[in-house]
Amino acid sequence: MTYVDGFVASVPTARRADFLQHAQAMGRLFKEYGALSVVDCWGDDVPPGKLTSFVLAVQCRPDETVVFSWITWPSREARDAAWKGIMADPRIQSAAEPPFDGKRMIFGGFEVLSAV
Protein backbone atom coordinates (compact mmCIF):
# COMPACT_ATOMS: atom_id res chain seq x y z
CA MET A 1 0.00 0.00 0.00
CA THR A 2 1.05 3.62 -0.49
CA TYR A 3 3.48 5.15 1.99
CA VAL A 4 3.70 8.83 2.95
CA ASP A 5 6.53 10.99 4.27
CA GLY A 6 5.21 14.11 6.00
CA PHE A 7 7.07 17.30 6.89
CA VAL A 8 6.24 20.49 8.78
CA ALA A 9 8.69 23.39 8.97
CA SER A 10 8.77 27.10 9.55
CA VAL A 11 10.12 29.29 6.77
CA PRO A 12 10.98 32.99 6.91
CA THR A 13 8.01 34.63 5.21
CA ALA A 14 10.31 36.85 3.16
CA ARG A 15 11.90 33.69 1.68
CA ARG A 16 8.73 32.24 0.17
CA ALA A 17 10.19 32.35 -3.37
CA ASP A 18 13.39 30.67 -2.14
CA PHE A 19 11.33 27.95 -0.47
CA LEU A 20 9.30 27.39 -3.64
CA GLN A 21 12.47 27.04 -5.71
CA HIS A 22 13.96 24.62 -3.15
CA ALA A 23 10.73 22.60 -2.92
CA GLN A 24 10.42 22.27 -6.68
CA ALA A 25 14.04 21.14 -7.06
CA MET A 26 13.66 18.58 -4.28
CA GLY A 27 10.32 17.44 -5.67
CA ARG A 28 11.87 16.70 -9.05
CA LEU A 29 14.62 14.72 -7.31
CA PHE A 30 12.13 12.71 -5.24
CA LYS A 31 10.13 11.92 -8.39
CA GLU A 32 13.31 10.72 -10.12
CA TYR A 33 13.74 8.24 -7.27
CA GLY A 34 10.20 6.92 -7.52
CA ALA A 35 7.93 9.26 -5.57
CA LEU A 36 4.36 9.17 -6.86
CA SER A 37 3.65 12.76 -5.85
CA VAL A 38 5.20 15.62 -3.90
CA VAL A 39 3.04 18.37 -2.39
CA ASP A 40 4.28 21.53 -0.66
CA CYS A 41 1.82 23.87 1.07
CA TRP A 42 2.28 27.43 2.40
CA GLY A 43 0.26 28.04 5.57
CA ASP A 44 -2.44 30.67 5.43
CA ASP A 45 -4.80 29.54 8.20
CA VAL A 46 -2.53 27.98 10.83
CA PRO A 47 -3.69 29.08 14.29
CA PRO A 48 -1.31 29.00 17.23
CA GLY A 49 -2.33 26.61 19.97
CA LYS A 50 -2.05 26.65 23.73
CA LEU A 51 -0.87 23.05 24.12
CA THR A 52 -0.31 21.78 20.58
CA SER A 53 -0.27 23.23 17.07
CA PHE A 54 1.83 23.33 13.96
CA VAL A 55 3.10 26.73 15.09
CA LEU A 56 4.27 25.38 18.44
CA ALA A 57 5.69 22.17 16.98
CA VAL A 58 8.13 24.04 14.71
CA GLN A 59 8.65 27.03 17.02
CA CYS A 60 7.34 29.34 14.30
CA ARG A 61 8.44 32.93 14.83
CA PRO A 62 6.33 36.01 13.99
CA ASP A 63 8.28 36.61 10.76
CA GLU A 64 7.89 32.98 9.61
CA THR A 65 5.18 30.87 7.97
CA VAL A 66 4.43 27.20 8.59
CA VAL A 67 4.80 24.90 5.59
CA PHE A 68 3.33 21.42 5.33
CA SER A 69 4.62 18.97 2.75
CA TRP A 70 4.21 15.33 1.90
CA ILE A 71 5.62 12.77 -0.49
CA THR A 72 3.71 9.67 -1.54
CA TRP A 73 5.60 6.50 -2.39
CA PRO A 74 4.41 3.18 -3.83
CA SER A 75 5.46 1.38 -0.61
CA ARG A 76 7.64 1.66 2.47
CA GLU A 77 10.26 -0.46 0.74
CA ALA A 78 10.32 1.86 -2.29
CA ARG A 79 10.63 4.86 0.02
CA ASP A 80 13.47 3.34 2.03
CA ALA A 81 15.41 2.47 -1.13
CA ALA A 82 14.76 5.91 -2.61
CA TRP A 83 16.02 7.75 0.47
CA LYS A 84 19.27 5.77 0.37
CA GLY A 85 19.79 6.87 -3.22
CA ILE A 86 18.69 10.44 -2.58
CA MET A 87 21.06 10.89 0.34
CA ALA A 88 23.96 9.56 -1.76
CA ASP A 89 23.04 11.67 -4.81
CA PRO A 90 25.71 14.30 -5.58
CA ARG A 91 22.97 16.92 -6.07
CA ILE A 92 22.00 16.58 -2.43
CA GLN A 93 25.62 16.71 -1.33
CA SER A 94 26.20 19.96 -3.24
CA ALA A 95 22.79 21.57 -2.63
CA ALA A 96 22.60 24.92 -0.91
CA GLU A 97 21.23 25.03 2.62
CA PRO A 98 17.43 24.92 2.62
CA PRO A 99 15.69 28.25 3.29
CA PHE A 100 14.50 27.12 6.73
CA ASP A 101 15.93 25.86 10.01
CA GLY A 102 16.03 22.08 9.61
CA LYS A 103 16.48 21.63 13.36
CA ARG A 104 12.89 22.84 13.84
CA MET A 105 11.40 20.67 11.10
CA ILE A 106 9.29 17.72 12.15
CA PHE A 107 8.91 14.72 9.87
CA GLY A 108 7.91 11.12 9.79
CA GLY A 109 6.83 8.21 7.63
CA PHE A 110 3.25 6.97 7.64
CA GLU A 111 1.50 3.84 6.47
CA VAL A 112 -1.76 4.75 4.72
CA LEU A 113 -4.73 3.24 6.56
CA SER A 114 -7.54 4.81 4.58
CA ALA A 115 -7.84 6.90 1.45
CA VAL A 116 -11.30 7.98 0.30
Side-chain angles (χ1 to χ4, degrees):
M1 179 162 251
T2 306
Y3 197 78
V4 176
D5 279 324
F7 309 86
V8 180
S10 136
V11 177
T13 304
R15 297 199 63 193
R16 180 180 171 143
D18 295 333
F19 175 76
L20 178 58
Q21 184 178 10
H22 171 80
Q24 289 174 333
M26 292 297 100
R28 287 188 295 273
L29 186 64
F30 296 140
K31 297 273 304 233
E32 271 185 47
Y33 279 89
L36 300 174
S37 66
V38 180
V39 178
D40 295 288
C41 305
W42 190 262
D44 76 342
D45 183 18
V46 185
K50 294 185 184 200
L51 294 177
T52 62
S53 69
F54 285 118
V55 172
L56 290 172
V58 295
Q59 300 173 8
C60 190
R61 299 175 182 143
D63 64 338
E64 295 177 328
T65 299
V66 172
V67 296
F68 176 47
S69 304
W70 66 91
I71 305 167
T72 57
W73 302 97
S75 66
R76 166 83 189 260
E77 295 76 23
R79 175 264 208 166
D80 290 348
W83 274 108
K84 285 180 184 174
I86 290 165
M87 296 312 290
D89 191 295
R91 291 171 289 181
I92 288 290
Q93 305 304 321
S94 65
E97 287 292 316
F100 55 87
D101 181 357
K103 293 180 197 132
R104 293 186 286 138
M105 178 175 70
I106 59 173
F107 57 91
F110 301 85
E111 176 185 350
V112 175
L113 291 180
S114 173
V116 180

